[in-house]
Amino acid sequence: MIEQHVLDLQEVDETQLALVGGKGAHLGALSRIEGIRVPGGFCVTTHAFRQIMAQAPSVEELLDQLSRLNPGDREALRTLSARIRRTIEGVTIPGDLAAAITRALSRLGEQTPCAVRSSATAEDLPTASFAGQQDTYLNIVGPTAILWHVSRCWASQFTERAVTYRQHNGIDHRTVDMAVVVQRMVFPHASGILFTADPVTGNRKVATVDAGFGLGEALVSGLVNPDVFKVRHGGVVAKTIATKQRAVHALPSGGTREVEIDVQRQEQPALTDAQVVRLVRLGRRIEEHFGCPQDIEWCLVDDDFQIVQSRPVTTLFPIPEAADQGHRVYVSVGHQQMMTDPMKPLGLSMWKLTAMAPMTEAGGRLFVDATRALSTPTGRAGLLDLVGRGDPLTRDALETVLDRDDFLPLLPDPAPGGPPAGGAPAPIDTDPAIVHGLIERSQASIAALRRDIATQTGPALFDFLMEAFQEHKRVLTDPLSHQAIMAGMEATWWLNDKLQEWLGEKNAADTLTLSAPDNVTSEMGLALLDVADEIRPHPEVVAFLRSVEDDGFLDELPKHAGGTTARDAIEGYLDRYGVRCAAEIDITRPRWRERPSTLVPAILDNVRNFEPGAAQRRFEQGRQEAWKKAQDVLTRLRALPDGESKADETQRMIERVRTFIGYREYPKYDIVSRYFVYKQALLGEAERLVQAQVLPEKEDIFYLTFQELHDAVRSHRVDDRLVRQRKEAFQTYHALTPSRVLTSEGETVNGAYRRDDVPDGALVGLPVSGGTVEGRARVILDMGQADLDPGDILVTAFTDPSWSPLFVGIAGLVTEVGGLMTHGAVIAREYGLPAVVGVDRATRLIRDGQRIRVHGSDGYVEILS
């Protein structure tokens, strides 16, 4: 029916997105909010758009061609999208539809100037704004011009930027329809944008207003810099008044033009403080209606604000849920675990169930609520000291928040309750048998887990797992294990502090810990060199591995000369290390045992770049360098006043660090070994749910929490809509960047290096492994895509233990995330690689192939070419 093709704005609301698009739905909803003024108008609905598309059958073939295009072929995309637009613009609007639009226009006044605005069904969504992807036309006058610009809006569904945006977001072009909003034009004194949350910091309590003279197009197009006001708790707390030399005004005959602003007005604020505060109050009312922070377009006409658009702010990091409204400070778990990517729901819930500390989640990431620890002088000092030793950026971020006295005031330390029962634990002996015993107990516990879980299925499996998680936590919280870890870390700190004080040696422990024993992660990298030694003599196998595209290659290997030997070597490696993978704290990520092709590039690099026996030579070389360094510092110490005492103490600490520092890596290996056992059992249940037609595919369990999966196994029911929503949410989380510290106000704080001792233009980071190296930067975000040559410097976002096999073939390391005792730093020291971590935006500021110099002792990176 033609009446469904044109609707007054007052007839629609946010529930009718499929009919009037995002912009139309939001404008209709805005017009219903008490106290919010919206220029009158109407919507040409998506029914009309589909009618027009049906009259242009050639568009279907063009869309087929578009879907087959390589997204990177910008020229072909530009050409094809232009053809689609011309085709749509060439369709004559049917008489009854044109009459309906003209009737709606007559209610505004046939010659009333109007804004004609695109309103797609995939814009202004909570997860994707599509801002600016389709077209808007201002000050259009008369029925003929209105009809023509409605056609142009329909065609703008296929602007190059809109097509590219949809392809980037994985949205099928055919699933998006286009409505058009026609509104009475307003001629404002000033206009601009209101963000009801600070778009830079994420703080939900701070609103930001951008304002300029005339129409908002001057700001959107970048013609002028806006005045910027920040409002908190009903008052302007900061403002910057720009020099506004130009503005965009409407012409009486239609259209717009740029005009010069009188010199005496250029530096006047576009809004008074009182107007800014009043505007923010309106914005808070709109935010309350829609239930989330808003990006609002406004116009000021005769001291009256009119709202011409409101959309969700899609770039804000979510705030963890809390039991009360008090101020809270959250610390990112991902920055400590070297995995800042989002996790799927099953991964989040499994980590929370097996972690040693309570955690909360937001945006697919985990956080620890540090509020309680930071609320007393002793707790605050202890946490800042511990965090600062590992990651100065997290410490600085916490101090930035804590420096605001009103955010988290200090409470008195609780009264001492007497010494703890049993007193302090006795100091741990420097005894390698302690480490060997811990490892043996871990292996026995995991073997028992594998044996006992094999007989468990259905609801009984989940009861078994809840008990297994207790054993999991018991092993991780073993006091002796904790003492062993801390012994290695404290010895590292002692050596670095004392040898710098006594000898001027920076980061001496970096060399003293080379080739330390019992490090399962560094052994993993060397073991892959041994695998390469088995494969290198067989050229037919090497050629076959170069063509590998899927994970069935192990079955194919024996068909080639030497293939059985190669397969056995890889299988042996997977038996020991196949539980690992990138981002391994997320149980849903495919392990190497499940996706062995991930290792093939690293194996081929080792075959190409190393000679036989490289693993043993590499380990022995590091051991000798550590021994020589120890003799050097001990000799120099003995020449100092009280030198024998200093040397004896240092000798004890060197023995201590070499005894315990390798064990630092073992608990993580224990965790992921257990995770693989849990995962195999849960996937067995998933397979049964698929066979019972409860789930379409077994990986759908990754979008359920552990408890939800338990319920599904018990009831044989799964909410398909929930799984679908979780999948969509997970995709949006990839666009979010978690910060080291997050507050309950939504503010993201990453910290800064307070240093003035680096060259101009250098990228500052944290020194974690000494030495200086110059080489070609290889910017790699996926280990499976690695292609490294000797002397290359690996630049990546973060490294967890799974990246260690690449470390044997590189000359240096640069990461965006990391700390002194995180896995990448420990292994870099083990292998003697100069490394700088915590380099903000390293993968964007350093281009692949550039020549760089890494200053591992001083903590900065120079870009040389």
Side-chain angles (χ1 to χ4, degrees), residues 41-58:
F42 59 90
C43 293
V44 182
T45 71
T46 55
H47 291 323
F49 174 73
R50 287 195 290 271
Q51 182 180 357
I52 294 298
M53 293 291 281
Q55 292 182 229
S58 62

Side-chain angles (χ1 to χ4, degrees), residues 130-425:
F130 279 73
Q133 300 308 311
Q134 289 91 23
D135 290 342
T136 287
Y137 303 97
L138 299 179
N139 202 29
I140 308 303
V141 180
T144 302
I146 294 288
L147 290 170
W148 165 234
H149 285 89
V150 167
S151 289
R152 295 186 69 188
C153 281
W154 287 328
S156 75
Q157 172 81 321
F158 298 98
T159 61
E160 180 188 354
R161 60 186 182 273
V163 168
T164 302
Y165 192 95
R166 286 195 294 273
Q167 287 184 324
H168 178 73
N169 284 276
I171 297 173
D172 186 339
H173 302 295
R174 288 184 171 86
T175 64
V176 181
D177 289 329
M178 178 70 78
V180 181
V181 175
V182 180
Q183 278 181 287
R184 186 188 305 273
M185 187 72 188
V186 294
F187 302 96
H189 160 75
S191 57
I193 307 293
L194 159 64
F195 295 95
T196 62
D198 190 313
V200 176
T201 69
N203 195 317
R204 308 314 201 258
K205 301 296 183 183
V206 176
T208 300
V209 175
D210 290 2
F213 293 123
L215 294 168
E217 272 51 42
L219 303 185
V220 174
S221 66
L223 182 65
V224 298
N225 291 323
D227 297 339
V228 180
F229 302 84
K230 292 189 180 294
V231 177
R232 181 182 175 94
H233 299 322
V236 176
V237 295
K239 61 182 171 182
T240 302
I241 306 304
T243 300
K244 301 171 287 296
Q245 297 178 331
R246 304 183 70 77
V248 174
H249 285 177
L251 293 169
S253 58
T256 62
R257 68 181 176 93
E258 296 176 17
V259 297
E260 295 278 350
I261 295 177
D262 293 340
V263 173
Q264 61 270 26
R265 291 185 61 219
Q266 289 180 3
E267 296 186 10
Q268 290 180 1
L271 297 177
T272 66
D273 285 6
Q275 288 172 327
V276 169
V277 170
R278 180 155 51 93
L279 174 61
V280 170
R281 279 201 297 269
L282 295 175
R284 292 294 181 211
R285 192 176 299 173
I286 295 169
E287 179 184 66
E288 183 179 3
H289 175 86
F290 288 114
C292 63
Q294 296 288 300
D295 165 1
I296 298 166
E297 298 175 24
W298 55 270
C299 294
L300 181 67
V301 183
D302 298 328
D303 198 37
D304 182 31
F305 286 105
Q306 298 203 33
I307 306 302
V308 295
Q309 181 56 312
S310 185
R311 60 176 69 89
V313 183
T314 60
T315 56
L316 299 175
F317 201 88
I319 304 172
E321 291 185 7
D324 58 55
Q325 298 300 309
H327 287 171
R328 295 184 178 276
V329 179
Y330 303 98
V331 177
S332 165
V333 173
H335 285 80
Q336 311 305 313
Q337 290 292 335
M338 298 298 94
M339 209 292 273
T340 55
D341 287 347
M343 296 169 67
K344 296 186 178 78
L346 185 62
L348 290 167
S349 66
M350 289 289 282
W351 190 262
K352 289 167 71 175
L353 283 167
T354 53
M356 292 181 289
M359 295 179 185
T360 185
E361 62 189 73
R365 279 79 169 189
L366 290 166
F367 296 85
V368 170
D369 186 345
T371 309
R372 185 174 180 182
L374 294 169
S375 295
T376 64
T378 301
R380 182 173 295 189
L383 182 60
L384 290 176
D385 180 62
L386 180 64
V387 166
R389 283 186 176 275
D391 183 7
L393 286 178
T394 298
R395 175 172 183 146
D396 185 80
L398 286 171
E399 288 177 331
T400 299
V401 175
L402 297 173
D403 283 345
R404 303 164 191 157
D405 294 334
D406 62 335
F407 190 81
L408 202 65
L410 276 173
L411 303 172
D413 280 320

Side-chain angles (χ1 to χ4, degrees), residues 591-603:
R591 312 283 132 175
W592 290 342
R593 170 53 78 184
E594 297 168 306
R595 192 170 292 172
S597 61
T598 305
L599 294 171
V600 170
I603 293 172

Side-chain angles (χ1 to χ4, degrees), residues 544-560:
F544 168 70
L545 289 177
R546 289 190 183 120
S547 67
V548 164
E549 294 182 353
D550 59 50
D551 295 306
F553 74 95
L554 288 172
D555 295 332
E556 299 295 315
L557 269 173
K559 299 176 182 178
H560 303 271

Side-chain angles (χ1 to χ4, degrees), residues 321-595:
E321 291 185 7
D324 58 55
Q325 298 300 309
H327 287 171
R328 295 184 178 276
V329 179
Y330 303 98
V331 177
S332 165
V333 173
H335 285 80
Q336 311 305 313
Q337 290 292 335
M338 298 298 94
M339 209 292 273
T340 55
D341 287 347
M343 296 169 67
K344 296 186 178 78
L346 185 62
L348 290 167
S349 66
M350 289 289 282
W351 190 262
K352 289 167 71 175
L353 283 167
T354 53
M356 292 181 289
M359 295 179 185
T360 185
E361 62 189 73
R365 279 79 169 189
L366 290 166
F367 296 85
V368 170
D369 186 345
T371 309
R372 185 174 180 182
L374 294 169
S375 295
T376 64
T378 301
R380 182 173 295 189
L383 182 60
L384 290 176
D385 180 62
L386 180 64
V387 166
R389 283 186 176 275
D391 183 7
L393 286 178
T394 298
R395 175 172 183 146
D396 185 80
L398 286 171
E399 288 177 331
T400 299
V401 175
L402 297 173
D403 283 345
R404 303 164 191 157
D405 294 334
D406 62 335
F407 190 81
L408 202 65
L410 276 173
L411 303 172
D413 280 320
I428 188 173
D429 292 333
T430 302
D431 182 357
I434 292 174
V435 171
H436 299 156
L438 287 167
I439 291 173
E440 286 172 4
R441 287 201 291 277
S442 163
Q443 291 174 340
S445 174
I446 293 170
L449 172 65
R450 289 196 186 100
R451 181 191 68 234
D452 296 342
I453 205 171
T455 59
Q456 304 295 327
T457 59
L461 169 66
F462 291 84
D463 295 335
F464 173 87
L465 283 172
M466 290 305 293
E467 293 181 12
F469 296 163
Q470 296 310 307
E471 167 68 3
H472 180 127
K473 288 195 274 192
R474 187 199 65 74
V475 172
L476 290 180
T477 55
D478 181 344
L480 187 61
S481 176
H482 179 71
Q483 284 180 285
I485 294 169
M486 291 308 299
M489 293 170 67
E490 287 166 353
T492 301
W493 298 333
W494 189 96
L495 287 166
N496 281 338
D497 292 346
K498 291 299 184 182
L499 294 182
Q500 181 156 15
E501 176 188 342
W502 293 337
L503 299 177
E505 282 269 358
K506 273 187 178 179
N507 303 318
D510 294 357
T511 305
L512 293 169
T513 55
L514 288 172
S515 297
D518 301 313
N519 187 317
V520 67
T521 306
S522 63
E523 290 167 0
M524 179 172 68
L526 296 175
L528 204 63
L529 289 174
D530 292 334
V531 172
D533 285 354
E534 296 293 320
I535 290 172
R536 191 179 294 107
H538 307 292
E540 191 175 325
V541 170
V542 174
F544 168 70
L545 289 177
R546 289 190 183 120
S547 67
V548 164
E549 294 182 353
D550 59 50
D551 295 306
F553 74 95
L554 288 172
D555 295 332
E556 299 295 315
L557 269 173
K559 299 176 182 178
H560 303 271
T564 300
T565 299
R567 183 195 61 190
D568 291 347
I570 296 172
E571 286 283 2
Y573 186 87
L574 291 173
D575 287 344
R576 173 80 165 132
Y577 303 111
V579 298
R580 311 218 80 150
C581 66
E584 61 193 7
I585 70 170
D586 184 352
I587 196 173
T588 71
R589 292 291 188 107
R591 312 283 132 175
W592 290 342
R593 170 53 78 184
E594 297 168 306
R595 192 170 292 172

